[in-house]
């Protein structure tokens, strides 16, 4: 008998916005979401995603699209010391602009608090000014420029959100 998956967040949030923890059964759909959302040099491999799903320090939250079997949004987190690291935050292109990114950031903030973290950390593509601006509007600060982070000539910014 399969164990019931916890849902997040509690009932105060609209049922349309309920997330569930991903399982290995979600691996093909998570790989497909990576292909839809990220340039090749920024994509996680199938192997990396699989390792994330089985690592007890990680949690990957997903929302299925009601119209088909694909995953519409995903948030992959890992606690590292006193920080919660966002490894991936993805919204399928067909549902962008509906507030899912902001919602996923609020979930990350609540998960950080629940896990006793003092900050949230991530890396963001330095050439993607709209993405950097969005993170900054949501309280993240650029703390370190990461030269050649993704590949030669493809830089990133390490960004931090301090839990208040």
């Amino acid at each position: 008998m399969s164990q019931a998956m916890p849902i997040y967040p509690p009932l105060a949030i609209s049922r349309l916005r309920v997330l569930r923890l991903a399982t290995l059964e979600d691996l093909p759909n998570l790989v497909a979401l990576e292909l839809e959302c990220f340039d090749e040099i920024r994509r996680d491999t199938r192997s990396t995603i699989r390792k994330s799903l089985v690592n007890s320090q990680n949690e990957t939250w997903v929302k299925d699209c009601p119209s088909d079997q694909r995953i519409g949004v995903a948030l992959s987190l890992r606690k590292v010391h006193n920080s919660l690291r966002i490894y991936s935050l993805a919204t399928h292109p067909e549902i962008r602009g509906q507030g899912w990114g902001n919602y996923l950031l609020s979930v990350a903030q609540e998960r950080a608090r629940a896990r006793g973290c003092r900050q949230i950390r991530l890396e963001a593509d330095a050439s993607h000014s709209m993405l950097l601006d969005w993170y900054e509007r949501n309280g993240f600060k650029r703390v370190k420029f990461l030269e050649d982070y993704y590949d030669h000539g493809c830089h990133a910014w390490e960004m931090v959100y301090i839990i208040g």
Side-chain angles (χ1 to χ4, degrees):
M1 183 166 150
S2 132
Q3 181 181 6
M5 294 305 301
I7 57 172
Y8 189 87
L11 295 175
I13 302 298
S14 163
R15 288 179 186 262
L16 297 175
R17 297 266 168 117
V18 173
L19 303 178
R20 65 175 175 80
L21 279 171
T23 68
L24 280 174
E25 292 176 5
D26 295 308
L27 183 58
N29 287 329
L30 286 167
V31 171
L33 186 64
E34 283 281 315
L35 292 170
E36 288 285 341
C37 294
F38 301 110
D39 295 331
E40 186 175 355
I41 62 167
R42 293 180 44 234
R43 284 184 202 136
D44 283 336
T45 64
R46 179 182 187 86
S47 174
T48 300
I49 296 168
R50 185 182 190 294
K51 287 176 187 173
S52 175
L53 291 172
V54 299
N55 185 322
S56 64
Q57 295 299 310
N58 293 3
E59 51 187 76
T60 300
W61 296 93
V62 297
K63 167 89 171 82
D64 299 310
C65 288
S67 61
D68 55 31
Q69 297 300 312
R70 71 183 154 90
I71 291 175
V73 298
L75 174 67
S76 183
L77 307 168
R78 180 176 187 159
K79 184 175 181 183
V80 181
H81 305 293
N82 291 325
S83 297
L84 191 69
R85 181 159 181 254
I86 295 176
Y87 275 94
S88 182
L89 187 153
T91 303
H92 194 280
E94 290 178 12
I95 59 170
R96 286 190 185 144
Q98 298 177 20
W100 283 106
N102 291 335
Y103 177 72
L104 293 175
L105 283 181
S106 72
V107 169
Q109 291 166 0
E110 289 187 36
R111 294 302 302 144
R113 287 182 187 95
R115 295 185 77 179
C117 298
R118 296 183 181 147
Q119 60 188 350
I120 301 171
R121 304 182 81 81
L122 58 85
E123 294 79 30
D125 186 337
S127 68
H128 198 319
S129 61
M130 286 177 55
L131 178 67
L132 295 169
D133 292 345
W134 177 72
Y135 279 122
E136 288 175 332
R137 283 192 309 274
N138 281 284
F140 283 80
K141 305 286 184 221
R142 297 180 204 197
V143 294
K144 184 177 180 184
F145 184 75
L146 305 169
E147 192 168 343
D148 300 330
Y149 182 77
Y150 297 109
D151 197 5
H152 181 71
C154 299
H155 317 301
W157 276 100
E158 180 180 357
M159 301 185 81
V160 174
Y161 176 89
I162 305 299
I163 302 297

